[in-house]
Amino acid sequence: MFLPEPGSNLIGMMMRERSDVDDKSCGGHYFSDQAFCNESLDSSLESSAELGPDEVPGLPCNTFCCFVVGRQTVAKERQSEEASNAIHIAMAVIRLPEAGSDILLVLNAPIVINPDSTAAVNAGSGQRSRYKVSAELLKAMLRSFVIKDFGLFGA
């Protein structure tokens, strides 16, 4: 799989449905939750929008899906704030109430890698520009995303 930059990664998570969070708020909720779990020093949500059926054609037509873009400042492996990196987050939230699940697909890519970060060992340090393609890359992945077996959800 092509990722936009060394130090980028794609994470897929299957979460128990958060019925207490409405569709309109779910993107911001999961973005904030991820910032908390990442122990982000700073985060900003730049955009959140619902995706239409033509953007996720492999999902049932009644599936709600939203797309979130933002930034976080995080230190890897519990390093100090001085070694923190700026990362770009592109996240898709796929809500499957009939399966009692929410699926999160998160593509993160470095914006700036601090020379003191452990990430600099493999990815090098400095300003990056290729993170700018990560949102479109994740959207392209969504166009071919299919759930072949809903038994995965225990349904």
Side-chain angles (χ1 to χ4, degrees):
M1 172 187 339
F2 168 80
L3 290 176
E5 191 76 55
S8 299
N9 58 60
L10 176 66
I11 302 165
M13 294 175 269
M14 189 168 58
M15 313 288 284
R16 180 166 300 174
E17 177 189 20
R18 290 294 311 264
S19 57
D20 59 321
V21 178
D22 66 7
D23 290 346
K24 183 178 177 183
S25 306
C26 70
H29 168 79
Y30 282 120
F31 180 84
S32 295
D33 186 58
Q34 186 190 35
F36 176 79
C37 291
N38 287 344
E39 298 179 6
S40 179
L41 304 169
D42 182 45
S43 67
S44 63
L45 178 63
E46 295 172 359
S47 66
S48 180
E50 183 175 348
L51 295 177
D54 57 320
E55 295 170 289
V56 283
L59 296 175
C61 61
N62 62 340
T63 303
F64 178 84
C65 187
C66 72
F67 196 82
V68 176
V69 175
R71 296 172 185 238
Q72 296 178 6
T73 303
V74 297
K76 289 185 69 86
E77 301 169 7
R78 307 215 184 274
Q79 289 186 290
S80 69
E81 286 184 30
E82 292 77 31
S84 63
N85 304 304
I87 59 172
H88 180 266
I89 307 286
M91 176 188 296
V93 179
I94 301 166
R95 306 204 83 184
L96 300 167
E98 65 280 359
S101 298
D102 291 339
I103 296 175
L104 308 182
L105 298 174
V106 183
L107 177 57
N108 62 57
I111 298 171
V112 177
I113 297 179
N114 188 308
D116 296 328
S117 170
T118 58
V121 173
N122 293 319
S125 65
Q127 181 78 32
R128 302 292 199 259
S129 62
R130 294 180 61 199
Y131 70 89
K132 297 173 186 174
V133 302
S134 59
E136 288 309 312
L137 180 60
L138 184 56
K139 284 183 178 181
M141 290 178 198
L142 288 170
R143 287 191 290 275
S144 62
F145 184 80
V146 176
I147 299 170
K148 293 190 177 207
D149 182 4
F150 275 84
L152 173 70
F153 302 97

